[in-house]
Amino acid sequence: MKTTPLSLPSFAKINLFLKVLGKRRDGYHELCTAFQTISLHDELNFTEAPGLTLVCADRELASDENNLVLRAARALREHSGTERGARIALEKRIPYPGGLGGGSSNAAVTLLGLATLWELDIGTRELLGIAAALGSDVPYFLYGGTALGRGRGTVIEPVRDQPEMRLAVVTPPVPVPTAEAYRRMAAPDLTNTDPKSILKICRDDAEKLDSGRLKFTNDFEPVVFGIEPEIKAVRDRLLELDATTALLSGSGASVFAIFDNDDKRREALAVFAESVGYCGFAVETVSRAAYRKHLRPCEHLLPKDI
Ligand code: C5P
């Protein structure tokens, strides 16, 4: 039994743009999005132990059998056939649910951490397959940095990292049910749409993103702002407070805002600090190289970098 514990950060993401292109035959929606890692992160600590246990100061989260950390651990055990176990400690900082991919990130890092702790002979492709079965956002967290997501969000293409951005992330205490947000989008059926034209839409946006010409947009905004006007109020207030951009992340409720000046960012976060139940964070974007460095003990399992 291995006695050295393994500690890894589990980073959050934002979506720099998110387009819902239509409804697929399998009930999921076809997406074109740009994921971006941000410095806000949870901590996961893995120690070899009998069985599988999750320890977290947040009791509700630790006792939830559907927690993505435990689901990832079970899926990996099943896939590999190993009988080894672990005690997993989670220090939670990323608000959930929040559109910041916290649970998905925890799941991906659990796959990496346990595969390393258990010295499993497993390839990146296999890990990506297990990740996609756990959730649409999980595969991205094996890559990090700036990356395009297509299909359900599980087809990941790393692209050149965006220049570092200084952001404020504000999460109001209003949970947005993701499945409901997708339903309300009433996206057209994709049964007749040519996959090549979907790829082209995504490619054009990727090129614009790379050259700094892309306006950050999120197709969830009108729907989610309709369900929870408080989230729109957060977006509008951040713009009034001089953010150059403010956008919903994923299906929300988090809103991220880009500031070109640290004082303005501090002032903006101070405004929301007074609102009951709100979380606010000053964060930076994280490049793929930095992301991979943080996950160095698991480097052998990460997809090849571009
Ligand atoms: O894959 P994940 O469990 O994160 O998805 C949660 C829900 O969001 C799905 O059950 C589905 O209703 C919706 N979804 C979707 N299209 C996607 C991703 C998620 O309709 N591309």
Side-chain angles (χ1 to χ4, degrees):
M1 194 183 274
K2 234 183 171 183
T3 47
T4 337
L6 176 62
S7 280
L8 297 170
S10 173
F11 288 94
K13 61 84 184 161
I14 52 173
N15 299 80
L16 297 177
F17 72 85
L18 193 159
K19 281 189 177 166
V20 179
L21 302 174
K23 195 161 175 229
R24 299 157 30 136
R25 283 208 177 115
D26 62 6
Y28 280 90
H29 291 75
E30 187 75 18
L31 302 184
C32 174
T33 187
F35 294 107
Q36 173 64 58
T37 307
I38 55 172
S39 52
L40 173 65
H41 60 279
D42 296 337
E43 290 287 343
L44 278 159
N45 182 285
F46 306 91
T47 319
E48 182 123 34
L52 279 177
T53 47
L54 174 65
V55 185
C56 180
D58 183 333
R59 288 231 194 102
E60 206 178 306
L61 211 157
S63 61
D64 179 0
E65 275 297 293
N66 287 319
N67 183 287
L68 271 174
V69 171
L70 284 175
R71 282 179 47 208
R74 282 193 219 110
L76 187 66
R77 260 223 309 207
E78 215 162 282
H79 182 93
S80 65
T82 184
E83 287 179 2
R84 293 170 78 169
R87 174 189 185 274
I88 308 167
L90 169 62
E91 198 180 308
K92 198 79 197 153
R93 297 190 204 110
I94 306 171
Y96 65 91
L100 300 173
S104 304
S105 171
N106 292 169
V109 172
T110 297
L111 293 177
L112 294 170
L114 291 181
T116 304
L117 188 79
W118 293 337
E119 300 159 301
L120 299 181
D121 181 17
I122 192 165
T124 305
R125 258 175 197 281
E126 283 170 274
L127 279 182
L128 284 169
I130 303 171
L134 289 166
S136 303
D137 282 353
V138 183
Y140 162 69
F141 288 100
L142 297 181
Y143 290 84
T146 312
L148 297 181
R150 285 186 288 112
R152 270 168 61 203
T154 57
V155 181
I156 304 298
E157 184 190 334
V159 293
R160 192 148 55 121
D161 276 311
Q162 287 287 292
E164 191 192 71
M165 290 179 262
R166 306 170 86 69
L167 315 164
V169 173
V170 177
T171 312
V174 282
V176 180
T178 304
E180 169 70 9
Y182 271 110
R183 253 195 312 279
R184 290 217 198 177
M185 194 110 47
D189 284 340
L190 263 185
T191 44
N192 297 320
T193 309
D194 173 13
K196 274 198 193 138
S197 64
I198 289 177
L199 191 63
K200 185 169 178 333
I201 294 173
C202 218
R203 184 97 2 272
D204 287 351
D205 281 348
E207 269 166 30
K208 282 190 209 148
L209 179 72
D210 194 39
S211 60
R213 285 180 298 124
L214 188 77
K215 190 175 168 331
F216 294 170
T217 56
N218 182 339
D219 283 353
F220 275 116
E221 279 197 341
V223 171
V224 170
F225 289 172
I227 300 173
E228 289 291 354
E230 190 173 344
I231 305 175
K232 180 177 186 298
V234 171
R235 197 274 316 261
D236 292 349
R237 188 81 181 100
L238 282 163
L239 289 172
E240 280 165 23
L241 290 163
D242 246 358
T244 54
T245 302
L247 193 75
L248 185 75
S249 182
S251 59
S254 302
V255 176
F256 69 89
I258 305 173
F259 285 91
D260 53 16
N261 171 316
D262 279 355
D263 289 336
K264 285 183 191 164
R265 176 168 72 164
R266 202 172 310 114
E267 282 161 26
L269 285 168
V271 168
F272 291 102
E274 287 165 20
S275 308
V276 178
Y278 274 61
C279 295
F281 305 92
V283 302
E284 276 71 54
T285 52
V286 174
S287 69
R288 190 161 34 261
Y291 188 82
R292 294 172 71 93
K293 211 163 155 187
H294 283 288
L295 296 175
R296 188 167 280 159
C298 315
E299 204 175 7
H300 59 294
L301 299 168
L302 300 180
K304 295 249 173 306
D305 202 4
I306 50 165

